[in-house]
Structures are given as structure tokens and as C-alpha cells.
Amino acid sequence: NALGRLGLRTLTYYMGTGLLAVLTGLLMVNLFTPGIIEGAPAGDRLGLSADTESVLAKVGGSKATDLADFFLRMIPTNIFQAAANGELLGIIFFSLLFGYFITQIPGTLQGTQKRFWSGAHDVMVGITNLLMRFAPYGVFGLVAKVIAITGWDSVRPLGLFFLCVLAGLLLHSLVTLSLLLKFVAKVSPLRHLRRMGTVLLTAFSTSSSSATLPITIREVEQQSGVSKRVSGFVVPLGATVNMDGTALYECAAAMFIAQAYGLELGYAQQFMIVVIALLSSVGVAGVPSASLVAIAIILGAVGLPLEGVGLILAVDRVLDMCRTAVNVYSDTCGASVIARLEGEALQPNAPEVASKA
Ligand code: ASP
């Protein structure tokens, strides 16, 4: 049926672009190796305290040595045990299944489930917001410690990491998404970019896909001429599910931290990072700094110390603005791509509409 087809196309677009984004991030950190300065891991420069040997032992012990094992661990035999042991891959997989089957049960029960879980979600967001109020002091302490111990040496790896992520984000939005716009949606990428100026600026300045949502919907309808039927489905879903910038960033951050500890991650482990970055970007809320939680999850899954997150806090703020803009931009491209696939006539040549604020 029509709704199922729309859903399938949307999901394919989200997963496809998400995967491309993660791979772009992976490529960037492997190419520029921001965590390795002059041939040596940047851990010392960054004042990391956990020593490589103990980390190495833990990573080795995380058992993700081959792909078959990876898939086996995806399906927990006991979900409570998985939760208690922090086996996040299994938890994510279970949650996806659970969420899907909530949509398959009858109306009243489904309503109860949805209300319960969205309440639980709001409670967790409330707690997170409370904790995040302490973040500025934490960042101050961490950065001050690093600078006090290593001086300005630490600036180089962090600066390189910053540039790596920025380059990846630009590559994804200006090349990958532009190609999709040009060849699938058949609209001029440049014009689309110009038309989405307000959306991008809002996303950039709020660092929140959710806060940008009303503007995204309005602009996608008014500027690109996407129907309400498509925009009303694709854009709100995309604001929480489709986070290309976040997925790219999570992967790049985990790899950077691994490099800084001097770890050579094998293919199986890199594959695991890619999958978790992709899946957890789906679960990340569209609010500022939400990916930090997901990065902690990835580090935990690979066996890296959480201390690594502290490392990137110093550059997180600005990168959050950039990756949120990419998250939202991908939603707008998705709306055009899917509208076109649904046979809609977009407005490729119409003059830009002055957006009403
Ligand atoms: N701030 C991002 C967003 O709202 C999420 C994140 O990557 O932290 O899209």
C-alpha cells in the first residue's frame, strides 16, 4: 500500500545516507589520523591517564574479534542480563524490535505503551538536562587539566580532529547529498542549498534538530514544494531518526579516541563502531550535545575508557552546531528525494520564495 511504500522509501533513504555518512567519517579519521601526531599516539599530549596496556587488554577482552561473533552478540539470550552487563549492541537491537512491535499491537494497548515510554523518555531527558548543567564546570576542569599538564601540545590533535569532522560533514552534505539531489530528486543542489538557508542557520544556532523542526517543515513545503503528505511524514521522523552528521561524528570521535590511546582497531572492531554509530544515531535525541551519550555507548562497547569523552568536550560545542545543520539538511534533501520518488512535481525552477519568519 501507499503508506507502506512511503515508509519503506523513507527508511531506505535514512539508513542509506546514515551509512554513507558514517563511512565518510571513518574514511576521514583513517586518512588524517588526528589521534596520531608525528607517528606517536596523542594520548600523552592530551593528558590521558589510563595507560595503553590496560586499555589494550580490555579492548582485546571485548571479544569483538570476528563478524560472526558480532552478530551473535546482537541478539541477547537474556535482555536483563544484557542490560545489567551493559551489552549495548543487544540492548539497541532489542529496543528496535520492541519499538516495531509496539506499532503492531491494537490501538488502546498501543496508546498505553506509547504514553508510558514517551513519559519515561521525558523523565530521562529531564535527568540528563539536570546533569548537563554541570557540564560547563566539567569541561572547564578537564580542559584546564589538559592544558596545565601538556601545555598547548594538546591543541594540535584536537584541532586536527575538529578539521577532520568538519571536512567529513562538508563532504557528506556537499557531495553525497548533492548527488542524490541531482540524480534522484532532480533538483539543482545549489538552489536547494540556498533555499534551505533559514533552516540551516536555525539548526546551526540552536544545535537542536527538534527545535528546528517547525521551520524545517515550513521551508520544505514552501521552498521546495513538497506536499504536506510527504513532508508531514518524512521531516518529523527524520528530525529524530535521521542524523547523518551525528552518525559521522560518533564514528569519527570513537576512532579518534582509539587512535589517541594508540590502539590499532581491526576490521571487526571498526565494523562494530560503524554499526553502533549508525544505530545509536537513530536513538539520539535532537537536542544539544545528545551524541555525547552515544559516544560513551560506543566507547563502552569497544572497551575504551569513558575518559575519552572528556577529551572531545572541548570541541563539542561548535561541532554540535555543524553536525546539527547536516542532520537537518539531510532531512530536507530526503523530503525532496522522496517527494520525487512519489511522483510529485517539485518546484525546481520556481523563484525562491521569501520565507515568512
Ligand atoms: N544536537 C544534535 C541534533 O539535535 C544531536 C547531536 O548530535 O548531539 O541534531
Side-chain angles (χ1 to χ4, degrees):
N1 61 16
L3 198 65
R5 195 191 50 205
L6 177 64
L8 198 67
R9 283 183 172 150
T10 310
L11 212 65
T12 311
Y13 173 87
Y14 288 164
M15 284 299 147
T17 52
L19 183 64
L20 288 172
V22 180
L23 293 178
T24 309
L26 188 67
L27 181 77
M28 285 299 167
V29 272
N30 274 323
L31 218 57
F32 297 109
T33 54
I36 300 170
I37 300 291
E38 287 157 11
D44 290 344
R45 288 174 181 251
L46 293 164
L48 292 180
S49 46
D51 64 291
T52 312
E53 251 137 63
S54 62
V55 174
L56 208 61
K58 252 182 103 189
V59 173
S62 80
K63 287 193 304 201
T65 36
D66 62 53
L67 286 186
D69 184 47
F70 173 85
F71 286 110
L72 278 178
R73 290 205 300 157
M74 229 162 129
I75 301 166
T77 42
N78 178 341
I79 181 64
F80 296 104
Q81 196 181 24
N85 294 339
E87 285 166 20
L88 288 146
L89 207 55
I91 300 174
I92 294 176
F93 185 75
F94 178 81
S95 312
L96 289 176
L97 265 186
F98 197 83
Y100 172 75
F101 279 101
I102 286 182
T103 67
Q104 301 299 307
I105 58 175
T108 46
L109 291 178
Q110 196 182 113
T112 311
Q113 280 291 318
K114 282 186 177 158
R115 274 197 305 282
F116 175 76
W117 290 110
S118 65
H121 171 263
D122 290 354
V123 170
M124 291 310 285
V125 169
I127 296 178
T128 311
N129 283 341
L130 173 71
L131 295 180
M132 285 310 282
R133 289 196 190 188
F134 298 96
Y137 309 108
V139 174
F140 173 77
L142 284 162
V143 175
K145 177 191 152 209
V146 170
I147 301 284
I149 296 175
T150 66
W152 294 106
D153 267 0
S154 55
V155 174
R156 200 158 137 208
L158 274 180
L160 214 56
F161 169 67
F162 182 88
L163 291 179
C164 244
V165 173
L166 211 58
L169 290 174
L170 285 174
L171 198 67
H172 182 72
S173 41
L174 298 183
V175 179
T176 313
L177 294 179
S178 288
L179 288 175
L180 280 173
L181 280 175
K182 187 154 177 51
F183 293 106
V184 187
K186 305 214 166 45
V187 294
S188 149
L190 212 63
R191 194 173 285 135
H192 182 84
L193 188 66
R194 271 210 306 269
R195 283 183 174 156
M196 291 304 137
T198 317
V199 175
L200 290 177
L201 269 180
T202 314
F204 186 78
S205 48
T206 57
S207 291
S208 162
S209 319
S210 299
T212 315
L213 181 60
I215 296 172
T216 320
I217 298 184
R218 186 192 71 202
E219 297 290 288
V220 158
E221 286 171 5
Q222 287 183 1
Q223 307 273 358
S224 315
V226 173
S227 71
K228 281 208 166 9
R229 173 178 164 264
V230 170
S231 70
F233 178 74
V234 175
V235 181
L237 191 65
T240 45
V241 166
N242 182 41
M243 296 203 174
D244 292 2
T246 294
L248 186 153
Y249 178 68
E250 284 175 23
C251 176
M255 290 295 297
F256 169 64
I257 292 167
Q259 284 174 357
Y261 278 110
L263 296 179
E264 287 272 353
L265 294 184
Y267 287 117
Q269 270 152 341
Q270 296 201 15
F271 179 75
M272 179 149 110
I273 291 182
V274 166
V275 174
I276 304 184
L278 186 61
L279 292 182
S280 62
S281 76
V282 170
V284 166
V287 296
S289 296
S291 353
L292 292 176
V293 183
I295 292 170
I297 290 177
I298 301 184
L299 295 183
V302 187
L304 286 163
L306 286 187
E307 178 198 25
V309 182
L311 251 180
I312 53 173
L313 277 178
V315 286
D316 187 67
R317 195 70 212 117
V318 182
L319 287 178
D320 194 8
M321 300 167 89
C322 304
R323 67 182 183 255
T324 307
V326 175
N327 289 344
V328 176
Y329 188 62
S330 173
D331 296 342
T332 68
C333 297
S336 289
V337 165
I338 285 149
R340 175 68 77 193
L341 292 176
E342 292 284 305
E344 286 179 16
L346 296 165
Q347 312 172 328
N349 300 314
E352 274 133 58
V353 197
S355 63
K356 296 185 239 46

